Amino acid sequence: MADKDFPGWHGTTIIGVRKGDQVVVAGDGQVSMGQTVMKGTARKVRRLSPGGYDVVAGFAGSTADAFALLERLEAKLEATPGQLQRASVELAKDWRTDKYLQKLEAMLIVTDGKELYVITGAGDVLEPEHDIAAIGSGGNYALAAARALIDTDLDAEGIARKAMGIAADICVYTNGNLTVETIGG
């Protein structure tokens, strides 16, 4: 089978929500290959602690590519301890200009509890509006749900969990097996 015919392993739907002094990154557990669910309990949200500073990262897209990016992000964070924005920009620059990295098909949501970013292979480091970021196949569903819930009495974790539940009900590439990491609050 040629590379172009292989659909690859894909992890989907990650959301980041900041409310008050709490930031939550949640991801579903589904990994798909084409239209087949290969695993329903994957962990696509990770806590990194380079240099003693906590950072939470979630990924959507090709799992192997995402792990390569997480390793690079961790190296950037070790080189610039406590400077998530700088490390994110350096990763995005490398991702955009390095011939190997340009082929990676994944996106990241990262936070240190103060800053919340989406990092893409197009060289973007985006700070989301309304303190909510979502990526992956069910990302738009989760984003819409979280935006509707942001002004309720729910905390960031409650919003993320409910939004991911709504996305799982709508998107066939998203399930309800969540990994949730919280910073602050």
Side-chain angles (χ1 to χ4, degrees):
M1 181 182 289
D3 284 344
K4 65 181 178 59
D5 297 327
F6 181 68
W9 305 91
H10 288 277
T12 61
T13 316
I14 304 294
I15 190 165
V17 178
R18 177 186 12 239
K19 187 169 182 183
D21 60 350
Q22 184 184 57
V23 183
V24 172
V25 178
D28 75 316
Q30 186 163 311
V31 175
S32 303
M33 185 174 77
Q35 296 178 347
T36 303
V37 175
M38 299 304 289
K39 184 173 183 175
T41 57
R43 286 194 71 234
K44 296 179 275 185
V45 177
R46 308 278 173 162
R47 186 174 292 267
L48 312 172
S49 296
Y53 293 92
D54 274 346
V55 171
V56 174
F59 65 86
S62 170
T63 53
D65 293 354
F67 282 118
L69 291 169
L70 288 175
E71 287 176 8
R72 297 236 180 190
L73 175 62
E74 198 160 21
K76 298 291 183 191
L77 288 165
E78 287 171 357
T80 59
Q83 298 181 50
L84 180 61
Q85 182 179 31
R86 185 172 175 192
S88 298
V89 168
E90 291 299 318
L91 174 63
K93 285 192 318 194
D94 287 355
W95 195 351
R96 178 85 172 132
T97 58
D98 184 283
K99 286 186 187 272
Y100 164 74
L101 293 178
Q102 285 176 356
K103 296 177 184 180
L104 300 183
E105 296 178 6
M107 293 178 75
L108 302 174
I109 291 179
V110 297
T111 184
D112 61 0
K114 298 176 207 109
E115 301 169 312
L116 177 65
Y117 298 115
V118 175
I119 307 172
T120 75
D124 301 314
V125 178
L126 305 169
E127 189 169 13
E129 292 182 339
H130 311 290
D131 292 327
I132 303 165
I135 57 175
S137 298
N140 287 336
Y141 306 118
L143 177 65
R147 293 218 18 214
L149 294 167
I150 197 72
D151 292 327
T152 66
D153 291 335
L154 292 172
D155 63 1
E157 183 173 339
I159 292 168
R161 285 183 180 279
K162 197 162 187 80
M164 288 295 290
I166 291 167
D169 287 345
I170 298 169
C171 178
V172 297
Y173 295 106
T174 305
N175 71 19
N177 294 329
L178 300 182
T179 301
V180 179
E181 289 285 347
T182 303
I183 294 184

